[in-house]
């Protein structure tokens, strides 16, 4: 061992010893506070270290956890109607202290019954008056009220297996992994024995400027467990982060589990919540707080229950809050979810968020105690106000390359971590690293990756996706395909992907090959993208189904209704350039040569003069711009997909056809605009709305017109017309709108059986207005290709006559937690042959 590694080893040992010494001084007291009379848990009981301002309140079940690194030896417990009590605790130890509260008066000398009628809650009460003061003062209590704000933010996400039986580690399958099961934490959350399996830490310096408004988060370091190539660890982390959005109680709405919860201090909160004054507290510094408890007016609405503490210093700021998601709402796999918020005073006496802890208990059923327990803790320190900086500081830019951020030494975290890892958390990184290097675990990970992601990893390349290995269609018959792609282990800048396929009916080989080169030293799958790609492809395509350059043939989508024999053979050669900016504005440039050969019932292309054409060749230049503010991604190693949130997305694409170069047959111009947004309609769910408009300029045959997205499979496709036939409508100008609404159980929750099954309602509406100019009408221009017809000469492709195409559906989702079934009905153009006027369509979707 050379000197460098010896010094590193000694430093590591020294650091661990120091960390152990520091950890040993932390006092942790957990337990349950119960009513001494009926032994039920008491919510909102104040528990604090004597002689300090460190305290908590019990949750709705009477559970509490107190932590401090100071040598306090007593805790005080107080609650209105019960005797105040003081208990001794051991400093520097983790301990459980269950407390039984004694009523302040154990005997009643007189009982008076004034009325058997329950008092009706009214909004005209002191608690609501106080909440209205909080709402009125929200703008000046938010950090954005200052001209300049900056602070350091530490973000920790942790997931654990909870209440796992000790018998599991003795089973033959898990004996090799005993060291994992021995790393348990039974004190942090009373009643939960946690086995940490995932941990991610991030440290950032946040700067905010009021005018012109700008917020910038400079990442200082990241650290996460890594389950190796068999698991998409980063994608999993992004998904967890999406479930646990940062909670700002001053926002009108709070996003958790992909749902929008109304804040208890939202502008409309008094309409949806009941408020009660629970207690008035005086802190050691003499300041007074009012404790308010709140509950939903309608227990089926997506709301919180809990308590908040309001300052009585004229600011009416939130000093502490405990939020619990309403247990009656329609949500999957979540037994409970809590948000604890703590605020500290600024130099000017106002309060800022100092700690946010969101934790949830997940499980397949409510009865079983075992499951998954997740927490996200955000700690804010070094808060500074009204310190201006140069404009360049507020402009987003990449501070450090990803690898530098992720490889911060342990000494960096020891000095900068704003929170303390529990003993179990501190062992996660080492345990998971040891697990990943075990051959048996890697084999298991490979199987899981193949089953769920569809790829088999071989280190420098992956084979898949498995869902495309086999499929069939009327033109190719049985189709076999094998493909793969390189990984970052091969190169972090150059990527290759491709596949080969063979049809046993047409006896033709198909294939695809592409190479991509990253221009910013990042993976081409990471934000912000900046790469160039060259590709060549020969394959079949259904007209109007150009949803992506690589058509992912899936055996489940091979089953289709009606006649399905309209195909092209496409030979495509293209170059694409993509560039994204950190403000989520992106643009792309492209060049393509495409040769289309008709197949199936489309063969051959023919004009009115009975001239036939075996191939249509086009040469195209394209450009596109897209803006998606605040877009988030499920970011994986070899993929990314956007997370739908409340922010809009806009895109504009332009394509120019070139006649002459590379044998291009036509000159034309195309424009396509698309806008999409999710609208939250609390408490009645949300709507996903998409609007598109397209226009083609120039005279072109029908294969170059706009072929509207049809769907003849039995799967419900959100972005397509599910009862429209392939190639049923063509146009050179169109406008369409799609509305897909999810009620989230708004109606079903009022029916006991449907509520128990957690079924949810959906409804959709889709409409298309389109037209064809006389310039592209083959009946007026015999040189153009004639629209396709069947063997009897009956047309199968049409233009609209001024009436829009309309279809709508109603459905039930969350069947068995992941199935959506829609009844779809078509309302116009019912005289077209071989169409479906109605149908049942199925979609598989996992959601909380």
């Amino acid at each position: 061992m050379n000197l460098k590694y010896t010094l590193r080893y000694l430093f590591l040992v020294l650091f661990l010893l120091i960390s152990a010494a520091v950890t040993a001084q932390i006092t942790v007291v957990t337990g349950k506070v119960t009513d001494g009379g009926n032994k039920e848990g008491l919510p909102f009981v104040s528990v604090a270290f004597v002689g300090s301002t460190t305290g908590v309140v019990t949750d709705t079940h009477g559970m509490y956890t107190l932590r401090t690194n100071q040598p306090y030896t007593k805790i005080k417990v107080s609650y209105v109607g019960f005797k105040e009590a003081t208990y001794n605790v051991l400093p520097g130890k983790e301990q459980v202290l269950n407390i039984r509260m004694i009523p302040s008066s154990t005997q009643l000398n007189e009982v008076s019954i004034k009325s058997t009628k329950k008092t009706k809650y009214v909004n005209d009460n002191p608690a609501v008056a106080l909440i209205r003061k909080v709402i009125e003062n929200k703008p000046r209590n938010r950090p954005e009220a200052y001209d300049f704000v900056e602070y350091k933010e530490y973000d920790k996400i942790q997931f654990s297996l909870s209440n796992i039986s000790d018998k599991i580690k003795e089973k033959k399958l898990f004996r090799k992994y005993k060291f994992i099961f021995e790393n348990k934490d039974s004190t942090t959350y009373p009643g939960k024995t946690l086995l940490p399996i995932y941990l991610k830490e991030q440290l950032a310096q946040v700067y905010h400027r009021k005018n012109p408004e700008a917020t910038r988060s400079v990442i200082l370091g990241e650290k996460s467990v890594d389950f190796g190539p068999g698991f998409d660890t980063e994608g999993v982390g992004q998904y967890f982060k999406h479930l646990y959005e940062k909670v700002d109680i001053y926002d009108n709405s709070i996003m958790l589990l992909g749902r929008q919860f109304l804040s208890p201090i939202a502008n409309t909160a008094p309409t949806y919540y009941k408020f009660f004054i629970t207690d008035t507290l005086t802190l050691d510094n003499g300041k007074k707080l009012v404790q308010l408890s709140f509950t939903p007016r309608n227990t089926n609405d997506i709301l919180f229950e809990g308590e908040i503490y309001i300052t009585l210093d004229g600011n009416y700021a939130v000093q502490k809050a405990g939020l619990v998601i309403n247990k009656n709402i329609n949500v999957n796999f979540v037994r409970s979810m809590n948000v604890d918020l703590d605020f500290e005073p600024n130099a000017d006496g106002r309060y800022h968020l100092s700690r946010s802890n969101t934790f949830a208990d997940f499980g397949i059923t409510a009865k079983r105690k075992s499951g998954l327990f997740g927490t996200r803790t955000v700690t804010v320190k070094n808060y500074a106000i009204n310190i201006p900086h140069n404009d360049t500081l507020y402009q987003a830019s990449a501070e450090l390359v990803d690898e530098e951020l992720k490889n911060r030494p342990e000494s960096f975290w020891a000095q900068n971590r704003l929170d303390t890892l529990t003993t179990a958390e501190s062992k996660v990184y080492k345990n998971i690293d040891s697990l990943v290097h075990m051959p048996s675990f890697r084999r298991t990970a490979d199987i899981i990756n193949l089953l769920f992601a569809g790829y088999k990893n071989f280190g420098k390349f992956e084979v898949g996706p498995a869902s495309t290995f086999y499929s069939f269609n009327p033109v190719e018959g049985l189709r076999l395909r094998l493909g793969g792609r390189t990984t970052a282990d091969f190169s972090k800048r150059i990527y290759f992907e491709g596949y080969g396929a063979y049809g046993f009916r047409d006896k033709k080989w198909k294939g695809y090959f592409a190479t991509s080169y990253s221009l910013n030293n990042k993976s081409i799958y990471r934000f912000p993208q900046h790469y160039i790609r060259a590709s060549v492809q020969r394959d079949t395509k259904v007209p109007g189904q150009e949803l992506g350059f690589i058509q992912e043939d899936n055996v489940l989508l091979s089953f289709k209704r009606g006649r399905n024999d309209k195909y092209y053979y496409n030979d495509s050669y293209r170059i694409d350039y993509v560039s994204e900016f950190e403000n989520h504005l992106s643009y792309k440039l492209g060049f393509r040569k495409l040769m289309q050969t008709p197949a199936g019932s489309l063969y051959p292309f023919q004009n009115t003069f009975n001239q036939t054409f075996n191939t249509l060749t086009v040469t195209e230049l394209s450009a596109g711009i897209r803006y998606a503010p605040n877009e988030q991604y499920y970011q994986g190693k070899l993929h990314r997909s956007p997370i739908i949130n409340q922010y809009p997305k806009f895109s504009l694409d332009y394509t120019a056809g070139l006649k002459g170069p590379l044998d291009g047959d036509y000159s034309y111009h195309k424009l396509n605009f698309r806008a999409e947004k999710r609208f939250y309609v609390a408490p009645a769910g949300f709507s996903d709305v998409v609007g598109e408009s397209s226009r083609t300029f120039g005279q072109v045959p029908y294969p170059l017109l706009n072929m509207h997205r049809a769907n003849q499979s039995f799967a419900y496709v959100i972005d397509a017309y599910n009862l429209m036939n392939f190639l049923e409508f063509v146009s050179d100008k169109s406008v369409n709108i799609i509305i897909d609404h999810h009620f989230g159980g708004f109606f079903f929750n009022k029916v006991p059986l449907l509520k128990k099954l957690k079924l949810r309602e959906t409804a959709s509406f889709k409409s298309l207005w389109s037209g064809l100019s006389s310039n592209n009408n083959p009946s007026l221009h015999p040189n153009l290709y004639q629209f396709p017809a069947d063997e009897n000469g009956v047309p199968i492709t049409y233009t609209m006559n001024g009436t829009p195409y309309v279809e709508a559906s109603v459905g039930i989702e969350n069947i068995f937690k992941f199935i959506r079934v829609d009844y779809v009905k078509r309302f116009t153009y019912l005289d077209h042959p071989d169409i479906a006027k109605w149908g049942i369509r199925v979609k598989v979707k996992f959601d909380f």
Side-chain angles (χ1 to χ4, degrees), residues 279-451:
D279 200 359
T280 301
L281 308 175
T282 302
L283 302 180
D284 291 344
N285 56 13
K287 290 188 177 181
K288 290 187 176 182
L289 300 175
V290 172
Q291 181 188 34
L292 291 180
S293 60
F294 56 90
T295 60
R297 288 173 175 265
N298 185 335
T299 58
N300 293 318
D301 289 343
I302 303 177
L303 299 169
F304 296 104
E305 59 185 32
E307 74 287 338
I308 52 178
Y309 292 78
I310 308 301
T311 65
L312 293 182
D313 56 1
N315 291 317
Y316 298 100
V318 177
Q319 194 263 357
K320 183 189 288 288
L323 314 178
V324 182
I325 66 167
N326 175 14
K327 63 182 179 181
N328 294 313
I329 65 173
N330 190 328
V331 63
N332 293 328
F333 311 116
V334 181
R335 298 187 183 116
S336 64
M337 190 170 197
N338 300 58
V339 182
D340 292 335
L341 304 173
D342 291 295
F343 296 78
E344 292 181 352
N346 305 335
D348 59 359
R350 296 184 185 178
Y351 284 81
H352 71 268
L353 180 68
S354 60
R355 181 182 171 89
S356 168
N357 186 32
T358 304
F359 55 97
D361 184 16
F362 300 91
I364 301 298
T365 65
K367 294 182 179 179
R368 296 187 62 182
K369 294 183 178 180
S370 60
L372 191 67
F373 194 88
T375 67
R376 182 179 186 181
T377 304
V378 178
T379 305
V380 177
K381 289 188 177 180
N382 301 340
Y383 196 86
I385 58 176
N386 295 332
I387 301 177
H389 297 282
N390 294 329
D391 289 345
T392 54
L393 182 67
Y394 300 96
Q395 299 171 0
S397 61
E399 297 295 321
L400 295 169
V401 298
D402 294 344
E403 291 307 312
E404 186 174 350
L405 286 172
K406 294 179 179 179
N407 287 285
R408 294 291 200 185
E410 187 56 42
S411 58
F412 169 85
W413 292 103
Q415 296 172 6
N416 293 280
R417 187 180 281 127
L418 302 184
D419 196 4
T420 303
L421 296 183
T422 65
T423 303
E425 286 175 339
S426 64
K427 296 179 181 179
V428 171
Y429 295 118
K430 181 180 178 181
N431 283 351
I432 298 302
D433 184 64
S434 300
L435 184 68
V436 169
H437 286 85
M438 297 178 67
S440 59
F441 176 81
R442 290 200 298 269
R443 288 192 297 268
T444 303
D446 278 347
I447 294 174
I448 294 175
N449 195 49
L450 181 63
L451 291 176

Side-chain angles (χ1 to χ4, degrees), residues 35 143 193 241 264 278 312 348 472 477 486 546 596 631 708 811:
D35 185 328
T193 300
K241 198 170 184 179
T278 309
L312 293 182
D348 59 359
F472 56 88
T486 61
E546 204 167 23
Q596 291 183 310
E631 187 171 38
H708 304 289

Side-chain angles (χ1 to χ4, degrees), residues 487-501:
T487 69
D489 290 336
F490 175 82
S491 173
K492 294 180 180 179
R493 280 212 162 187
I494 301 175
Y495 292 83
F496 298 100
E497 57 185 312
Y499 66 81

